Amino acid sequence: RFDIKMQYKQLWVRNLKLSDAGIYTCEYGSHKVHTSLHIFKLMISLDGHFLQNEVPELILMQNSSSRLPDLRITLFDSNNNRVTPELRNKSRQKYIVNLKKLEAMDSGTWVCQVHSDSPLIDQNIPFAVKVLGFQNPDLERKYATVDSTVILSWRLNSQKIKWKEGFSGQLNWKQQESANPHELLDFNITAQGQLHETKKSSSFLFEIPERKPESTIEVKLPKVHFDHSGQYQCQLEYQGRHAQSKIELVVMKVSARPVGPLSRGANMTLTCQVSGPLPPNAYLRWERANGTEMDIKNSKQNEVKLEVNISAAGLWSCHLIEDNDRKISLHYHVEEAAAWTNYVIIGASVGGSLLVFALGCLCIISGTNWHRRRQRAKRMAQARQYLLENKTCQCQQ
């Protein structure tokens, strides 16, 4: 590992080790020149290959022929942002620090800056960090309306960081957090970055899109049902470790009660409902096209169902609004009943009223006759009793 360049009076040392630290002396005739070599060794856990949300461990060791200095360590991530590590152990000879939880965007070259005042040391040590993970947000929320088409997509950064080793994973779906998961598909990526997928579920209707960017996991729901809502979790595995990303699918539906044309003077109840809880900055809104402020109704916080009682026909729309941005809308056209239908309804109402009036009159007449018969029967019974009493008195005479 040692080589002397005579023409340059240089000593070359390759593949430095901690044990190479010390004082090196160059003798030329009666002249002697001493040089002190201070060596640092930087080690990172898992050989620098991580999954997102993992916390790397960084070990910095030093060796010198003199008293070891007290070092100050500063870290900079791949975006040149300063990172404050958690110091776990410090013994001058060995510094052990934990970095932050990694994200996919943290992949790249980091720098460990080592500084000391006595002796004066100001050294930058670069090291590579490769984070395999998803470029999606931690918890992505996607909205859809009933019978619409939805594509759920997870973007992996395996191509970006030129991952040299393959990994596998799976895509699961479950209705609620505590529900049992249903495996939709398995996937694996080769060392060349090629994605292979295998459909697992036979009862759940979904498709795997053919055209997609490299290292992208996608599922297509051609016709969304209300009960297709829930959490879709994509999980990848590398050397027994796991990382996952979730997409929450929220589905909207609308309904009317009663169903059918709206008659003049009648009322109808429109219901708009979403399948899951909404964030605090989201709400539902009913409004009528070309309507007034009276035709607008907003849901309260944490409401997943909004009802509105209407008496005007037209195009009614339910919007899901988040941060003043309409995410999805579902329309319901309320038709006005035809004129003859209104006349039939009015006639039926009038006829029904007359029928009720007639039945009432008949009941009154029948009641009056019954009362008269009862009074007549009562008088005859009293007369009969009177005659019996008179007969009894004559017999006694």
Side-chain angles (χ1 to χ4, degrees):
R1 295 186 299 117
F2 297 88
D3 189 16
I4 297 177
K5 306 285 186 180
M6 294 299 298
Q7 63 272 30
Y8 302 111
K9 308 297 189 294
Q10 291 178 343
L11 173 66
W12 287 64
V13 184
R14 293 180 294 272
N15 299 324
L16 284 173
K17 301 178 180 179
L18 284 174
S19 58
D20 293 330
I23 298 176
Y24 290 77
T25 302
C26 178
E27 296 184 4
Y28 183 73
S30 59
H31 299 279
K32 291 184 179 181
V33 179
H34 305 285
T35 300
S36 177
L37 180 60
H38 192 121
I39 295 181
F40 296 101
K41 182 178 182 181
L42 184 67
M43 295 181 294
I44 186 169
S45 58
L46 301 176
D47 196 27
H49 290 71
F50 302 96
L51 299 179
Q52 64 184 106
N53 293 324
E54 290 186 331
V55 179
E57 181 183 76
L58 200 65
I59 300 177
L60 178 66
M61 303 180 68
Q62 63 173 334
N63 191 14
S64 175
S65 59
S66 58
R67 181 175 176 269
L68 294 175
D70 190 9
L71 302 177
R72 294 196 303 272
I73 299 175
T74 307
L75 294 175
F76 296 90
D77 63 15
S78 58
N79 299 311
N80 203 29
N81 297 319
R82 184 169 179 170
V83 178
T84 303
E86 176 190 353
L87 184 60
R88 285 184 48 205
N89 187 22
K90 174 183 176 182
S91 63
R92 292 211 175 187
Q93 185 179 6
K94 178 187 291 188
Y95 294 76
I96 303 177
V97 298
N98 285 341
L99 308 186
K100 65 174 184 176
K101 283 187 176 182
L102 296 175
E103 301 176 7
M105 64 182 66
D106 291 326
S107 293
T109 301
W110 290 47
V111 174
C112 177
Q113 189 178 83
V114 181
H115 185 79
S116 172
D117 294 328
S118 179
L120 182 60
I121 298 175
D122 194 4
Q123 185 75 26
N124 291 333
I125 306 175
F127 60 98
V129 174
K130 294 186 177 182
V131 185
L132 180 64
F134 301 92
Q135 295 174 318
N136 301 54
D138 288 338
L139 178 58
E140 187 175 352
R141 184 176 285 104
K142 197 172 185 68
Y143 299 112
T145 57
V146 169
D147 293 335
S148 65
T149 299
V150 174
I151 294 181
L152 305 178
S153 177
W154 286 264
R155 301 174 302 278
L156 291 166
N157 66 341
S158 59
Q159 286 287 334
K160 182 179 179 181
I161 64 176
K162 297 181 180 179
W163 199 264
K164 294 183 179 180
E165 300 178 55
F167 59 90
S168 62
Q170 60 185 12
L171 177 63
N172 300 325
W173 168 78
K174 53 186 177 180
Q175 192 74 33
Q176 299 174 352
E177 180 68 28
S178 58
N180 294 325
H182 302 278
E183 187 174 356
L184 300 184
L185 60 88
D186 287 342
F187 65 89
N188 63 77
I189 298 183
T190 66
Q192 292 74 30
Q194 296 178 344
L195 177 65
H196 298 283
E197 297 169 317
T198 304
K199 189 173 180 179
K200 301 289 289 188
S201 175
S202 58
S203 59
F204 196 88
L205 299 178
F206 73 96
E207 300 175 4
I208 302 176
E210 295 181 0
R211 295 183 179 180
K212 68 186 73 174
E214 293 179 335
S215 300
T216 300
I217 311 298
E218 288 185 351
V219 294
K220 178 181 179 181
L221 307 179
K223 195 172 183 180
V224 176
H225 298 167
F226 193 72
D227 57 1
H228 286 169
S229 62
Q231 290 187 355
Y232 292 77
Q233 176 177 284
C234 190
Q235 182 184 79
L236 60 91
E237 179 181 358
Y238 175 71
Q239 294 185 348
R241 293 133 54 201
H242 299 84
Q244 57 272 336
S245 175
K246 297 179 182 179
I247 296 180
E248 180 80 18
L249 180 61
V250 180
V251 183
M252 173 195 285
K253 67 177 181 179
V254 297
S255 60
R257 190 178 67 251
V259 179
L262 181 62
S263 304
R264 185 176 302 174
N267 290 328
M268 178 184 290
T269 300
L270 298 179
T271 302
C272 179
Q273 184 177 357
V274 292
S275 58
L278 298 176
N281 55 345
Y283 61 93
L284 300 174
R285 169 181 288 178
W286 270 115
E287 65 180 11
R288 184 168 66 98
N290 300 324
T292 64
E293 293 291 333
M294 300 296 294
D295 296 325
I296 297 177
K297 184 178 181 181
N298 296 331
S299 66
K300 299 178 181 178
Q301 189 174 357
N302 299 325
E303 280 187 340
V304 297
K305 180 189 292 187
L306 178 62
E307 293 184 346
V308 59
N309 294 320
I310 66 170
S311 57
L315 182 63
W316 288 82
S317 301
C318 180
H319 309 290
L320 195 157
I321 302 175
E322 182 178 357
D323 290 331
N324 297 322
D325 181 28
R326 290 183 181 180
K327 295 296 184 180
I328 51 173
S329 299
L330 201 54
H331 311 290
Y332 193 93
H333 185 68
V334 179
E335 297 182 355
E336 186 176 2
W340 67 269
T341 306
N342 291 328
Y343 293 147
V344 170
I345 294 174
I346 294 173
S349 301
V350 173
S353 300
L354 291 176
L355 179 60
V356 171
F357 178 75
L359 290 175
C361 293
L362 182 62
C363 290
I364 293 174
I365 295 172
S366 300
T368 302
N369 293 335
W370 178 79
H371 183 70
R372 288 176 179 175
R373 287 195 300 269
R374 185 176 179 182
Q375 291 293 332
R376 188 183 299 115
K378 185 177 181 181
R379 288 196 298 270
M380 292 178 66
Q382 289 177 350
R384 192 180 297 112
Q385 184 66 26
Y386 176 76
L387 292 174
L388 291 174
E389 289 177 356
N390 288 339
K391 289 180 180 181
T392 303
C393 293
Q394 292 174 359
C395 292
Q396 289 176 354
Q397 290 178 357

